[in-house]
Coordinates of all heavy atoms in Angstrom, one line a residue:
M596 N -12.0 2.8 5.0 CA -11.0 3.7 5.5 C -11.6 5.0 5.9 O -12.4 5.6 5.1 CB -9.9 3.9 4.5 CG -8.8 4.8 5.0 SD -7.4 5.0 3.8 CE -6.8 3.3 3.8
K597 N -11.3 5.5 7.1 CA -11.8 6.8 7.5 C -11.1 7.9 6.7 O -10.0 7.7 6.3 CB -11.6 7.0 9.0 CG -12.4 6.0 9.8 CD -12.0 6.2 11.3 CE -12.6 5.1 12.1 NZ -12.2 5.1 13.5
K598 N -11.8 9.0 6.6 CA -11.2 10.1 5.8 C -9.9 10.6 6.4 O -9.0 11.1 5.7 CB -12.2 11.3 5.7 CG -13.3 11.0 4.8 CD -14.1 12.2 4.5 CE -15.2 11.8 3.5 NZ -15.8 12.9 2.9
D599 N -9.7 10.5 7.8 CA -8.5 11.0 8.4 C -7.3 10.0 8.3 O -6.2 10.4 8.7 CB -8.8 11.4 9.8 CG -9.3 10.3 10.7 OD1 -9.9 9.4 10.2 OD2 -9.1 10.4 11.9
E600 N -7.6 8.8 7.9 CA -6.5 7.8 7.8 C -5.8 8.1 6.5 O -6.3 8.5 5.5 CB -7.1 6.4 7.8 CG -7.6 6.0 9.2 CD -8.0 4.6 9.2 OE1 -7.8 3.8 8.2 OE2 -8.5 4.2 10.3
K601 N -4.5 7.8 6.5 CA -3.6 7.9 5.4 C -3.4 6.6 4.7 O -3.7 5.5 5.2 CB -2.3 8.5 5.8 CG -2.4 9.8 6.5 CD -2.7 10.9 5.6 CE -2.7 12.3 6.3 NZ -3.2 13.3 5.5
Y602 N -2.8 6.7 3.5 CA -2.6 5.5 2.7 C -1.7 4.5 3.4 O -1.8 3.3 3.1 CB -2.0 5.8 1.3 CG -0.6 6.4 1.4 CD1 0.5 5.5 1.5 CD2 -0.4 7.8 1.5 CE1 1.8 6.0 1.6 CE2 0.9 8.3 1.6 CZ 2.0 7.4 1.6 OH 3.2 7.9 1.8
Y603 N -0.9 4.9 4.3 CA 0.1 3.9 4.9 C -0.6 2.9 5.7 O -0.1 1.8 5.9 CB 1.2 4.6 5.6 CG 0.8 5.7 6.6 CD1 0.4 5.5 7.9 CD2 0.9 7.0 6.1 CE1 0.1 6.5 8.7 CE2 0.6 8.1 7.0 CZ 0.2 7.8 8.3 OH -0.2 8.8 9.1
H604 N -1.8 3.2 6.3 CA -2.6 2.2 7.0 C -3.0 1.1 6.0 O -3.0 -0.1 6.3 CB -3.8 2.8 7.7 CG -3.4 3.7 8.8 ND1 -3.7 5.1 8.7 CD2 -2.8 3.5 9.9 CE1 -3.3 5.6 9.8 NE2 -2.7 4.7 10.6
R605 N -3.4 1.5 4.8 CA -3.8 0.5 3.8 C -2.6 -0.3 3.4 O -2.8 -1.5 3.2 CB -4.4 1.3 2.6 CG -4.9 0.4 1.6 CD -6.4 0.1 1.3 NE -7.4 0.4 2.2 CZ -8.6 1.0 1.8 NH1 -8.7 1.5 0.6 NH2 -9.5 1.2 2.7
L606 N -1.5 0.3 3.3 CA -0.3 -0.5 2.9 C 0.0 -1.6 3.9 O 0.3 -2.8 3.6 CB 1.0 0.4 2.9 CG 1.0 1.5 1.8 CD1 2.3 2.3 1.9 CD2 0.9 0.9 0.4
R607 N -0.1 -1.3 5.2 CA 0.1 -2.3 6.3 C -1.0 -3.4 6.2 O -0.7 -4.6 6.2 CB 0.0 -1.6 7.6 CG 0.3 -2.6 8.8 CD -0.1 -2.1 10.1 NE -1.6 -1.9 10.1 CZ -2.2 -0.8 10.6 NH1 -1.5 0.2 11.1 NH2 -3.5 -0.6 10.5
D608 N -2.2 -3.0 6.0 CA -3.3 -4.0 5.9 C -3.1 -4.9 4.7 O -3.3 -6.1 4.9 CB -4.7 -3.3 5.8 CG -5.0 -2.6 7.1 OD1 -4.4 -2.8 8.2 OD2 -5.9 -1.7 7.1
L609 N -2.8 -4.4 3.6 CA -2.6 -5.2 2.4 C -1.4 -6.2 2.6 O -1.5 -7.4 2.3 CB -2.3 -4.4 1.2 CG -3.5 -3.7 0.6 CD1 -3.1 -2.6 -0.4 CD2 -4.4 -4.6 -0.1
R610 N -0.3 -5.7 3.2 CA 0.8 -6.6 3.5 C 0.5 -7.7 4.5 O 0.8 -8.9 4.2 CB 2.0 -5.7 4.1 CG 3.2 -6.6 4.4 CD 4.3 -5.7 5.0 NE 3.9 -5.0 6.2 CZ 3.8 -5.5 7.4 NH1 4.0 -6.8 7.6 NH2 3.5 -4.7 8.4
E611 N -0.2 -7.3 5.5 CA -0.6 -8.3 6.6 C -1.6 -9.3 6.0 O -1.6 -10.5 6.4 CB -1.2 -7.6 7.8 CG -0.1 -6.9 8.6 CD -0.6 -6.1 9.8 OE1 -1.9 -5.9 9.9 OE2 0.2 -5.6 10.6
D612 N -2.5 -8.9 5.1 CA -3.4 -9.8 4.5 C -2.7 -10.9 3.7 O -3.2 -12.0 3.5 CB -4.4 -9.1 3.6 CG -5.5 -8.3 4.3 OD1 -5.6 -8.4 5.6 OD2 -6.2 -7.4 3.7
R613 N -1.6 -10.6 3.2 CA -0.8 -11.6 2.4 C 0.2 -12.3 3.3 O 1.1 -13.1 2.8 CB 0.0 -10.9 1.3 CG -0.9 -10.3 0.2 CD -1.1 -11.4 -0.8 NE -2.0 -10.9 -1.9 CZ -1.5 -10.7 -3.1 NH1 -0.3 -10.8 -3.4 NH2 -2.4 -10.2 -4.0
D614 N 0.2 -12.0 4.6 CA 1.1 -12.6 5.6 C 2.6 -12.4 5.2 O 3.4 -13.3 5.3 CB 0.9 -14.1 5.7 CG -0.5 -14.4 6.3 OD1 -0.9 -13.7 7.2 OD2 -1.1 -15.4 5.9
L615 N 2.9 -11.2 4.8 CA 4.2 -10.8 4.4 C 4.9 -9.9 5.5 O 4.2 -9.2 6.2 CB 4.2 -9.9 3.1 CG 3.8 -10.6 1.9 CD1 3.6 -9.6 0.7 CD2 4.8 -11.7 1.4
T616 N 6.2 -10.1 5.7 CA 6.9 -9.2 6.6 C 7.3 -7.9 5.8 O 7.3 -7.9 4.6 CB 8.2 -9.8 7.1 OG1 9.1 -10.1 6.0 CG2 7.9 -11.2 7.8
Q617 N 7.7 -6.9 6.5 CA 8.2 -5.7 5.9 C 9.4 -6.0 5.1 O 9.6 -5.5 4.0 CB 8.4 -4.6 6.9 CG 7.2 -4.0 7.5 CD 7.4 -2.9 8.5 OE1 8.5 -2.8 9.0 NE2 6.4 -2.1 8.7
A618 N 10.3 -6.9 5.6 CA 11.5 -7.2 4.9 C 11.2 -7.9 3.5 O 11.8 -7.7 2.5 CB 12.3 -8.1 5.7
Q619 N 10.2 -8.8 3.5 CA 9.8 -9.5 2.3 C 9.2 -8.5 1.3 O 9.6 -8.6 0.1 CB 8.7 -10.6 2.6 CG 9.3 -11.8 3.4 CD 8.2 -12.7 3.8 OE1 7.1 -12.2 4.3 NE2 8.4 -14.0 3.7
L620 N 8.4 -7.6 1.7 CA 7.9 -6.6 0.8 C 8.9 -5.7 0.3 O 8.9 -5.3 -0.9 CB 6.7 -5.8 1.4 CG 5.8 -5.1 0.4 CD1 5.3 -6.0 -0.6 CD2 4.7 -4.5 1.1
A621 N 9.9 -5.3 1.1 CA 11.0 -4.5 0.7 C 11.7 -5.2 -0.4 O 12.1 -4.6 -1.4 CB 11.9 -4.2 1.8
E622 N 12.0 -6.5 -0.3 CA 12.6 -7.2 -1.3 C 11.8 -7.3 -2.6 O 12.4 -7.1 -3.7 CB 12.9 -8.7 -0.9 CG 13.7 -9.5 -1.8 CD 14.1 -10.9 -1.3 OE1 14.2 -11.0 0.0 OE2 14.1 -11.8 -2.1
I623 N 10.5 -7.5 -2.5 CA 9.6 -7.5 -3.7 C 9.7 -6.2 -4.4 O 9.7 -6.1 -5.7 CB 8.2 -7.8 -3.2 CG1 8.1 -9.2 -2.8 CG2 7.2 -7.4 -4.3 CD1 6.8 -9.6 -2.0
L624 N 9.8 -5.1 -3.7 CA 9.9 -3.7 -4.3 C 11.3 -3.4 -4.8 O 11.5 -2.3 -5.4 CB 9.4 -2.7 -3.3 CG 7.9 -2.8 -3.0 CD1 7.6 -1.7 -1.9 CD2 7.0 -2.6 -4.2
G625 N 12.3 -4.2 -4.4 CA 13.6 -3.9 -4.8 C 14.3 -2.9 -4.0 O 15.3 -2.2 -4.4
L626 N 13.8 -2.7 -2.7 CA 14.4 -1.8 -1.8 C 15.6 -2.4 -1.1 O 15.7 -3.7 -1.1 CB 13.4 -1.3 -0.7 CG 12.2 -0.6 -1.2 CD1 11.2 -0.4 -0.1 CD2 12.6 0.7 -1.8
T627 N 16.6 -1.6 -0.7 CA 17.8 -2.2 -0.1 C 17.6 -2.8 1.2 O 18.4 -3.7 1.6 CB 18.8 -1.0 0.0 OG1 18.3 0.0 0.8 CG2 19.3 -0.5 -1.3
N628 N 16.6 -2.4 2.0 CA 16.4 -3.1 3.3 C 15.0 -2.8 3.8 O 14.2 -2.0 3.3 CB 17.4 -2.6 4.3 CG 17.4 -1.1 4.5 OD1 16.3 -0.5 4.7 ND2 18.6 -0.5 4.5
Q629 N 14.6 -3.5 4.9 CA 13.3 -3.4 5.5 C 13.0 -2.0 6.0 O 11.9 -1.5 6.0 CB 13.2 -4.5 6.6 CG 11.9 -4.4 7.4 CD 12.1 -3.6 8.7 OE1 13.2 -3.4 9.2 NE2 11.0 -3.0 9.2
T630 N 14.1 -1.4 6.6 CA 13.9 0.0 7.1 C 13.3 1.0 6.1 O 12.5 1.8 6.5 CB 15.2 0.5 7.7 OG1 15.7 -0.5 8.7 CG2 15.0 1.8 8.4
A631 N 13.8 0.9 4.9 CA 13.3 1.8 3.9 C 11.8 1.6 3.7 O 11.1 2.6 3.6 CB 14.0 1.5 2.5
Y632 N 11.4 0.4 3.6 CA 9.9 0.1 3.5 C 9.2 0.6 4.7 O 8.1 1.1 4.6 CB 9.6 -1.3 3.1 CG 8.1 -1.5 3.0 CD1 7.4 -1.1 1.9 CD2 7.4 -2.0 4.1 CE1 6.1 -1.2 1.8 CE2 6.0 -2.1 4.0 CZ 5.3 -1.7 2.9 OH 4.0 -1.8 2.8
Q633 N 9.7 0.3 5.9 CA 9.1 0.6 7.1 C 8.8 2.1 7.2 O 7.7 2.5 7.7 CB 9.9 0.1 8.3 CG 9.2 0.2 9.7 CD 9.3 1.6 10.3 OE1 10.2 2.4 10.1 NE2 8.3 1.9 11.1
R634 N 9.6 2.9 6.7 CA 9.4 4.4 6.7 C 8.2 4.8 5.9 O 7.5 5.7 6.2 CB 10.7 5.1 6.2 CG 11.8 5.1 7.2 CD 13.0 5.8 6.7 NE 14.1 5.7 7.6 CZ 15.3 5.2 7.2 NH1 15.6 5.0 5.9 NH2 16.3 5.1 8.1
Y635 N 8.0 4.1 4.8 CA 6.8 4.3 3.9 C 5.5 3.9 4.7 O 4.6 4.6 4.7 CB 6.9 3.6 2.6 CG 8.0 4.0 1.7 CD1 8.8 3.1 1.1 CD2 8.4 5.4 1.6 CE1 9.8 3.4 0.2 CE2 9.4 5.7 0.7 CZ 10.1 4.8 0.1 OH 11.2 5.1 -0.7
E636 N 5.6 2.7 5.2 CA 4.4 2.1 5.9 C 4.0 2.9 7.1 O 2.9 2.9 7.5 CB 4.7 0.6 6.2 CG 3.4 -0.1 6.6 CD 3.6 -1.6 6.7 OE1 3.7 -2.3 5.7 OE2 3.6 -2.0 7.9
S637 N 5.0 3.5 7.8 CA 4.7 4.2 9.0 C 4.3 5.7 8.7 O 3.8 6.4 9.6 CB 5.9 4.3 9.9 OG 6.9 5.0 9.3
G638 N 4.4 6.1 7.5 CA 4.1 7.4 7.1 C 5.1 8.5 7.4 O 4.9 9.7 7.2
R639 N 6.3 8.0 7.8 CA 7.4 9.0 8.0 C 8.0 9.6 6.7 O 8.5 10.7 6.7 CB 8.5 8.4 8.8 CG 8.0 8.2 10.3 CD 9.2 7.7 11.2 NE 9.6 6.4 10.7 CZ 10.7 5.8 11.1 NH1 11.5 6.4 12.0 NH2 11.1 4.6 10.7
V640 N 7.9 8.8 5.7 CA 8.4 9.2 4.3 C 7.3 8.9 3.3 O 6.7 7.9 3.4 CB 9.7 8.4 4.0 CG1 10.1 8.8 2.6 CG2 10.8 8.7 5.0
E641 N 7.1 9.9 2.4 CA 6.0 9.7 1.4 C 6.5 8.6 0.4 O 7.6 8.6 0.0 CB 5.8 11.0 0.6 CG 5.1 12.1 1.4 CD 3.6 11.7 1.6 OE1 3.0 11.2 0.7 OE2 3.2 11.9 2.7
L642 N 5.6 7.8 0.1 CA 5.8 6.7 -0.9 C 5.9 7.3 -2.3 O 5.0 7.9 -2.7 CB 4.7 5.7 -0.8 CG 4.8 4.4 -1.6 CD1 5.9 3.5 -1.1 CD2 3.5 3.6 -1.6
P643 N 7.0 7.0 -3.0 CA 7.1 7.5 -4.4 C 6.0 6.8 -5.3 O 5.6 5.6 -5.1 CB 8.5 7.1 -4.9 CG 9.2 6.9 -3.6 CD 8.2 6.4 -2.6
M644 N 5.6 7.5 -6.3 CA 4.5 7.0 -7.2 C 4.9 5.6 -7.8 O 4.0 4.8 -8.0 CB 4.2 8.0 -8.3 CG 3.1 7.5 -9.3 SD 1.6 7.1 -8.5 CE 1.0 8.7 -8.0
K645 N 6.1 5.4 -8.2 CA 6.5 4.1 -8.8 C 6.2 2.9 -7.9 O 5.8 1.9 -8.3 CB 8.0 4.1 -9.2 CG 9.0 4.1 -8.1 CD 10.4 4.1 -8.6 CE 11.4 4.0 -7.5 NZ 12.8 3.9 -8.1
Y646 N 6.3 3.2 -6.5 CA 6.0 2.1 -5.6 C 4.5 1.9 -5.4 O 4.0 0.8 -5.2 CB 6.7 2.3 -4.3 CG 8.1 2.2 -4.4 CD1 9.0 3.2 -3.9 CD2 8.8 1.1 -4.9 CE1 10.3 3.2 -4.0 CE2 10.1 1.0 -5.1 CZ 10.9 2.1 -4.6 OH 12.3 2.0 -4.7
F647 N 3.7 3.0 -5.5 CA 2.2 2.9 -5.5 C 1.8 2.0 -6.7 O 1.0 1.1 -6.5 CB 1.6 4.2 -5.7 CG 1.4 5.0 -4.5 CD1 2.1 6.2 -4.2 CD2 0.4 4.6 -3.5 CE1 1.9 6.9 -3.1 CE2 0.2 5.4 -2.4 CZ 1.0 6.5 -2.2
I648 N 2.4 2.2 -7.8 CA 2.0 1.4 -9.0 C 2.4 0.0 -8.9 O 1.7 -1.0 -9.1 CB 2.6 2.0 -10.3 CG1 2.0 3.4 -10.5 CG2 2.5 1.1 -11.5 CD1 2.7 4.3 -11.6
L649 N 3.7 -0.3 -8.4 CA 4.1 -1.6 -8.2 C 3.2 -2.4 -7.2 O 2.9 -3.6 -7.4 CB 5.6 -1.6 -7.7 CG 6.7 -1.3 -8.7 CD1 8.0 -1.1 -8.0 CD2 6.7 -2.4 -9.7
L650 N 2.9 -1.7 -6.1 CA 2.0 -2.3 -5.1 C 0.6 -2.6 -5.6 O 0.0 -3.7 -5.3 CB 2.0 -1.4 -3.8 CG 3.3 -1.4 -3.0 CD1 3.2 -0.3 -2.0 CD2 3.6 -2.7 -2.4
A651 N 0.1 -1.7 -6.3 CA -1.3 -1.9 -6.9 C -1.2 -3.1 -7.8 O -2.2 -3.9 -7.8 CB -1.7 -0.6 -7.7
D652 N -0.2 -3.2 -8.6 CA -0.1 -4.4 -9.5 C 0.1 -5.7 -8.7 O -0.5 -6.7 -9.0 CB 1.1 -4.2 -10.5 CG 0.8 -3.2 -11.5 OD1 -0.4 -2.8 -11.7 OD2 1.8 -2.8 -12.2
Y653 N 1.0 -5.6 -7.7 CA 1.3 -6.8 -6.9 C 0.0 -7.3 -6.1 O -0.3 -8.5 -6.1 CB 2.4 -6.5 -5.9 CG 2.7 -7.7 -5.0 CD1 3.5 -8.7 -5.5 CD2 2.3 -7.8 -3.7 CE1 3.8 -9.8 -4.8 CE2 2.6 -8.9 -2.9 CZ 3.3 -9.9 -3.5 OH 3.6 -11.0 -2.7
Y654 N -0.7 -6.4 -5.5 CA -1.9 -6.8 -4.8 C -3.2 -6.9 -5.6 O -4.2 -7.3 -5.2 CB -2.2 -5.7 -3.7 CG -1.1 -5.7 -2.6 CD1 -0.5 -4.6 -2.2 CD2 -0.8 -6.9 -1.9 CE1 0.4 -4.5 -1.2 CE2 0.1 -6.9 -0.8 CZ 0.7 -5.7 -0.5 OH 1.7 -5.6 0.5
N655 N -3.0 -6.5 -6.9 CA -4.2 -6.5 -7.8 C -5.3 -5.7 -7.3 O -6.5 -6.1 -7.3 CB -4.6 -8.0 -8.1 CG -5.5 -8.0 -9.3 OD1 -5.4 -7.3 -10.2 ND2 -6.5 -9.0 -9.3
V656 N -5.0 -4.4 -6.9 CA -6.0 -3.5 -6.5 C -5.7 -2.1 -7.3 O -4.7 -2.0 -7.9 CB -5.9 -3.2 -5.0 CG1 -6.2 -4.5 -4.2 CG2 -4.6 -2.6 -4.5
S657 N -6.7 -1.2 -7.2 CA -6.5 0.0 -7.9 C -5.7 1.0 -7.0 O -5.6 0.9 -5.8 CB -7.9 0.7 -8.1 OG -8.5 1.1 -6.9
L658 N -5.2 2.0 -7.7 CA -4.5 3.1 -7.0 C -5.4 3.8 -6.1 O -5.1 4.3 -5.0 CB -3.8 4.0 -8.0 CG -2.6 3.5 -8.7 CD1 -2.2 4.4 -9.8 CD2 -1.5 3.2 -7.8
D659 N -6.7 4.0 -6.5 CA -7.7 4.6 -5.7 C -7.9 3.9 -4.4 O -8.1 4.5 -3.3 CB -9.1 4.6 -6.4 CG -9.1 5.6 -7.6 OD1 -8.4 6.6 -7.5 OD2 -9.8 5.3 -8.6
Y660 N -7.8 2.6 -4.4 CA -8.0 1.8 -3.2 C -6.8 2.0 -2.3 O -7.0 2.2 -1.1 CB -8.2 0.3 -3.5 CG -8.3 -0.6 -2.3 CD1 -9.5 -0.6 -1.6 CD2 -7.2 -1.3 -1.8 CE1 -9.6 -1.4 -0.5 CE2 -7.4 -2.1 -0.7 CZ -8.6 -2.1 0.0 OH -8.7 -2.9 1.1
I661 N -5.6 1.9 -2.8 CA -4.4 2.0 -2.0 C -4.4 3.4 -1.3 O -4.0 3.5 -0.2 CB -3.1 1.8 -2.8 CG1 -3.0 0.3 -3.1 CG2 -1.9 2.3 -2.1 CD1 -1.7 -0.1 -3.9
T662 N -4.8 4.4 -2.1 CA -4.7 5.8 -1.5 C -5.9 6.1 -0.6 O -5.9 7.2 -0.1 CB -4.6 6.8 -2.6 OG1 -5.7 6.7 -3.5 CG2 -3.3 6.7 -3.4
G663 N -6.8 5.2 -0.5 CA -8.0 5.5 0.4 C -9.1 6.3 -0.3 O -10.0 6.7 0.4
R664 N -9.1 6.5 -1.6 CA -10.1 7.2 -2.2 C -11.4 6.4 -2.3 O -12.5 7.0 -2.5 CB -9.7 7.7 -3.6 CG -8.5 8.7 -3.6 CD -8.2 9.2 -5.0 NE -9.3 10.0 -5.5 CZ -9.6 10.0 -6.8 NH1 -9.0 9.4 -7.7 NH2 -10.7 10.8 -7.1
T665 N -11.3 5.1 -2.2 CA -12.4 4.2 -2.2 C -12.1 3.0 -1.4 O -11.0 2.6 -1.3 CB -12.8 3.8 -3.7 OG1 -14.0 3.0 -3.7 CG2 -11.7 3.1 -4.4
N666 N -13.2 2.3 -1.0 CA -13.0 1.0 -0.3 C -13.2 -0.1 -1.3 O -13.1 -1.3 -0.9 CB -13.9 0.9 0.9 CG -13.5 1.8 2.0 OD1 -12.3 2.0 2.2 ND2 -14.4 2.4 2.7
D667 N -13.5 0.2 -2.5 CA -13.7 -0.8 -3.6 C -12.3 -1.1 -4.2 O -11.7 -0.2 -4.8 CB -14.6 -0.3 -4.6 CG -15.0 -1.4 -5.7 OD1 -14.2 -2.3 -5.9 OD2 -16.1 -1.3 -6.2
K668 N -11.8 -2.3 -4.1 CA -10.5 -2.6 -4.6 C -10.3 -2.4 -6.1 O -9.2 -2.3 -6.6 CB -10.1 -4.1 -4.2 CG -9.9 -4.2 -2.7 CD -9.5 -5.6 -2.4 CE -9.2 -5.7 -0.9 NZ -8.7 -7.0 -0.5
R669 N -11.4 -2.4 -6.8 CA -11.4 -2.2 -8.2 C -11.3 -0.7 -8.6 O -10.9 -0.4 -9.8 CB -12.7 -2.8 -8.9 CG -12.8 -4.3 -8.6 CD -14.1 -4.8 -8.9 NE -15.1 -4.2 -7.9 CZ -16.3 -4.6 -7.8 NH1 -16.8 -5.5 -8.6 NH2 -17.1 -4.0 -6.9
G670 N -11.6 0.2 -7.7 CA -11.4 1.6 -8.0 C -12.7 2.4 -8.1 O -13.8 1.8 -8.1
I671 N -12.5 3.7 -8.2 CA -13.7 4.6 -8.3 C -14.3 4.4 -9.6 O -13.6 4.4 -10.6 CB -13.2 6.0 -8.1 CG1 -12.8 6.2 -6.6 CG2 -14.3 7.0 -8.4 CD1 -12.2 7.6 -6.3
G672 N -15.6 4.4 -9.6 CA -16.3 4.3 -10.9 C -16.4 3.0 -11.6 O -16.9 2.8 -12.7
Y673 N -15.9 2.0 -10.9 CA -15.9 0.6 -11.4 C -17.4 0.2 -11.5 O -18.1 0.3 -10.6 CB -15.2 -0.4 -10.6 CG -15.2 -1.8 -11.1 CD1 -14.4 -2.2 -12.2 CD2 -16.1 -2.7 -10.7 CE1 -14.4 -3.5 -12.7 CE2 -16.2 -4.0 -11.2 CZ -15.4 -4.3 -12.2 OH -15.4 -5.6 -12.7
K674 N -17.8 -0.3 -12.7 CA -19.1 -0.8 -12.9 C -19.1 -2.3 -13.3 O -18.2 -2.7 -14.0 CB -19.8 0.0 -14.0 CG -19.9 1.5 -13.7 CD -20.7 2.2 -14.7 CE -20.7 3.7 -14.6 NZ -21.3 4.4 -13.7
K675 N -20.0 -3.0 -12.7 CA -20.0 -4.4 -12.9 C -20.4 -4.8 -14.4 O -21.1 -4.1 -15.0 CB -21.0 -5.1 -12.0 CG -20.5 -5.1 -10.6 CD -21.5 -5.8 -9.7 CE -21.0 -5.7 -8.2 NZ -21.9 -6.3 -7.3

């Protein structure tokens, strides 16, 4: 991820990698409709921390990865 890209690009990529629609992911997160999730993924509304955590758990990636701090899905400082 380039430094100027925001986390919402990563949200879209993760969702598309799982072949999920925005409506399906909204349901997974317990949101009332697809539009609510679409606002997060487009960057129009900041994603609340509780959803960052839910998405990291769902996709089995680190918060550092979702937020673009690293391209390693395991997170910053992960050692083999």
Side-chain angles (χ1 to χ4, degrees):
M596 178 177 295
K597 297 176 188 172
K598 288 188 179 199
D599 60 334
E600 288 186 5
K601 302 287 185 184
Y602 67 85
Y603 46 85
H604 293 115
R605 181 104 349 130
L606 295 179
R607 182 196 62 224
D608 292 343
L609 286 165
R610 178 181 57 77
E611 289 176 348
D612 287 348
R613 291 275 179 106
D614 295 322
L615 295 169
T616 65
Q617 289 180 340
Q619 289 170 317
L620 198 52
E622 185 175 328
I623 289 165
L624 294 176
L626 298 171
T627 55
N628 57 48
Q629 174 267 334
T630 304
Y632 179 78
Q633 191 276 332
R634 288 183 184 126
Y635 298 136
E636 192 175 286
S637 69
R639 288 189 295 168
V640 176
E641 287 291 318
L642 184 69
M644 180 55 71
K645 69 179 183 177
Y646 294 127
F647 275 111
I648 294 167
L649 287 170
L650 290 168
D652 289 345
Y653 181 77
Y654 292 125
N655 194 32
V656 298
S657 70
L658 291 170
D659 290 326
Y660 179 77
I661 288 181
T662 59
R664 294 185 68 211
T665 183
N666 288 324
D667 187 330
K668 291 182 178 183
R669 299 166 292 188
I671 293 174
Y673 179 82
K674 298 186 192 286
K675 292 181 181 182

